[in-house]
Amino acid sequence: MNVKIRRIALSAAPFFSGAVAILLAMAIISSPETSFQASLQGLKLWWNLVFPALLPFLILSEMLTASGFVHGLGVLLEPLMRRVFRLPGMSGWVLGMGVTSGFPGGAQGVLQLHKQGSLSDKEAGRLAALVHFGSPVTLLIVVGVAFLHHPAAGYGLMGIHWISGLLASFTAILLRPQTETDAMDNRAAKLPAYKTTLYRRVINAASKARSEDGRSFGKLLGESVGNSVQSLMTVGGYMIIFAVVISIVLGVLPQLPESLTAGLLEIHLGAKSISEASITANTSTGWLGLALLSAALGWSGLCAQLQVLAVLKPAKVRFLPFAAVRLLHGLYAFLLTLLLWRPLMALGEAALPVMATPESGPSAAISFTTVWNALPQLIGLQSLLLLILLMFSGITALISVFRRRFG
């Protein structure tokens, strides 16, 4: 019965997408001025904030991947990936990519493993849900500095975003129905007995990744710039079209709150809309707004989800399970923000230096100085999270060894 329903849905998908495209074109033709202003708003937001903030870090992320660093990190995260998330150990480097570069890098890593035959379709779907994080630069610089004008708030939102994302994926595994595929998952969860030391396995993984990449520094830099610009152009196109969709939805249903509509559809436009709704990070009245902002970042918007699913189309990743994890991510982010916001803000304000912020509102352009000043703190926080993950991975490995010897 389920197979029949799935076949009907697949056959009806082209007609549904065609109908949506026709309705969207009719809405744009009926109100061209409103659609133009909405697309211009999306373009300005992308050009002034998203492009300059993300481009340097996307380039560095691709170069870091080519150097073999994330592959060596994946070896260290293998116990955590196998025992906790029931995924092959080599997927640990994709988690490192998702944490450091955000969902575009994470999705590309999942696709690469699937093309190599290292992941099944279902494992690719679970891994894609696990590594779907907002870019740290988006959370810190775009949201914290440009939208909220409060760097400590950006760090607090980023920490909660990471923790809630890991909790959401772990909860999804616990709630997953028991099927015949669990036998395969249990085999993947067992740690193999290696003959070489951990240090040697890390070095070998990094060396193998560098040799397989094989690009010179000049070629790597040029291709990293080209790929990063192409990725950001795709992001910009999605932002512009979804800005138009948001304006059409609000025009048809004006009673809907703009922040709610934008937050459900697009992460950057939603964060901007919620941040403009008089959020003050230092007052108790702003807690609920910040919790809603954190939930919207966890949900990440329908636009980001469709981008990831488009990248992972060869892996046949299904939308509903993926979106369910995003809902859990948003729910955990909302609750953790309400519970942890005061201590996180106190810690952030005491530990962080003052950072330059745009002076002319959320639409102001981000300068290179702002990005450069945020780099040390951003790398420090990413390193802290990776150390925590490595610590949990080591504890998981020790538990596995103890059970093997005494269980």
Side-chain angles (χ1 to χ4, degrees):
M1 185 67 180
N2 292 332
V3 176
K4 186 177 180 180
I5 295 175
R6 187 177 300 177
R7 288 178 178 176
I8 295 175
L10 290 175
S11 62
F15 299 99
F16 177 76
S17 59
V20 171
I22 292 173
L23 291 176
L24 181 61
M26 292 174 59
I28 293 174
I29 294 173
S30 62
S31 55
E33 184 177 354
T34 303
S35 300
F36 175 77
Q37 292 298 327
S39 62
L40 187 61
Q41 180 188 14
L43 177 61
K44 287 182 178 179
L45 180 62
W46 172 76
W47 179 250
N48 291 333
L49 297 179
V50 177
F51 189 89
L54 292 184
L55 180 61
F57 292 93
L58 287 180
I59 296 172
L60 291 175
S61 296
E62 183 164 347
M63 297 183 70
L64 202 61
T65 303
S67 70
F69 172 80
V70 292
H71 297 76
L73 178 66
V75 173
L76 298 175
L77 292 176
E78 182 179 14
L80 181 68
M81 301 304 295
R82 285 183 177 273
R83 301 291 297 177
V84 176
F85 296 111
R86 304 284 174 168
L87 290 166
M90 64 184 65
S91 60
W93 72 267
V94 186
L95 177 59
M97 282 188 63
V99 169
T100 55
S101 62
F103 61 83
Q108 290 291 342
V110 174
L111 180 63
Q112 182 176 344
L113 284 182
H114 183 267
K115 285 183 176 179
Q116 295 173 354
S118 303
L119 293 175
S120 65
D121 291 349
K122 291 186 178 181
E123 288 172 339
R126 298 211 308 271
L127 181 59
L130 170 63
V131 302
H132 186 91
F133 294 97
S135 168
V137 184
T138 299
L139 298 172
L140 174 61
I141 299 179
V142 176
V143 177
V145 176
F147 290 167
L148 297 178
H149 300 278
H150 204 291
Y155 281 98
L157 289 171
M158 184 161 57
I160 290 173
H161 182 73
W162 284 340
I163 295 171
S164 57
L166 295 173
L167 287 175
S169 293
F170 182 66
T171 303
I173 292 174
L174 295 179
L175 298 178
R176 189 162 54 97
Q178 298 295 319
T179 63
E180 296 178 357
T181 59
D182 287 341
M184 181 176 61
D185 294 340
N186 291 331
R187 287 195 299 269
K190 294 181 180 180
L191 290 174
Y194 292 104
K195 297 181 180 180
T196 57
T197 62
L198 178 63
Y199 172 78
R200 178 53 56 187
R201 283 189 282 126
V202 172
I203 297 299
N204 290 340
S207 300
K208 182 180 178 181
R210 284 197 301 270
S211 62
E212 289 179 351
D213 187 270
R215 290 176 289 180
S216 63
F217 178 79
K219 184 177 181 181
L220 174 61
L221 179 61
E223 292 184 357
S224 298
V225 173
N227 294 336
S228 300
V229 171
Q230 184 177 359
S231 298
L232 286 174
M233 293 292 287
T234 303
V235 171
Y238 272 96
M239 288 182 62
I240 292 172
I241 192 62
F242 269 82
V244 175
V245 171
I246 291 170
S247 68
I248 292 173
V249 172
L250 293 176
V252 176
L253 301 172
Q255 65 272 20
L256 289 178
E258 180 181 354
S259 57
L260 175 63
T261 305
L264 289 174
L265 294 179
E266 211 283 322
I267 182 173
H268 302 94
L269 297 170
K272 178 177 181 292
S273 180
I274 297 174
S275 301
E276 286 180 340
S278 302
I279 289 181
T280 305
N282 292 321
T283 62
S284 58
T285 57
W287 282 20
L288 182 59
L290 286 166
L292 292 173
L293 174 59
S294 186
L297 294 173
W299 166 249
S300 76
L302 185 62
C303 175
Q305 296 178 33
L306 292 179
Q307 291 181 57
V308 169
L309 294 177
V311 171
L312 297 176
K313 186 177 181 180
K316 301 177 183 178
V317 176
R318 293 186 297 164
F319 172 74
L320 289 181
F322 185 83
V325 179
R326 304 275 62 77
L327 283 175
L328 283 174
H329 192 170
L331 177 61
Y332 277 127
F334 180 84
L335 296 176
L336 289 177
T337 303
L338 292 179
L339 292 174
L340 302 177
W341 190 251
R342 185 182 293 274
L344 283 176
M345 286 299 298
L347 179 64
E349 290 178 347
L352 294 176
V354 177
M355 196 180 301
T357 59
E359 297 180 356
S360 57
S363 297
I366 288 181
S367 66
F368 176 78
T369 304
T370 303
V371 179
W372 181 258
N373 289 340
L375 182 60
Q377 294 87 4
L378 179 61
I379 294 177
L381 192 58
Q382 287 178 311
S383 301
L384 177 61
L385 176 65
L386 292 176
L387 285 175
I388 293 174
L389 291 176
L390 292 175
M391 181 185 68
F392 278 112
S393 184
I395 294 173
T396 305
L398 290 176
I399 293 174
S400 299
V401 172
F402 180 83
R403 287 182 175 178
R404 185 179 299 173
R405 290 187 177 182
F406 304 102

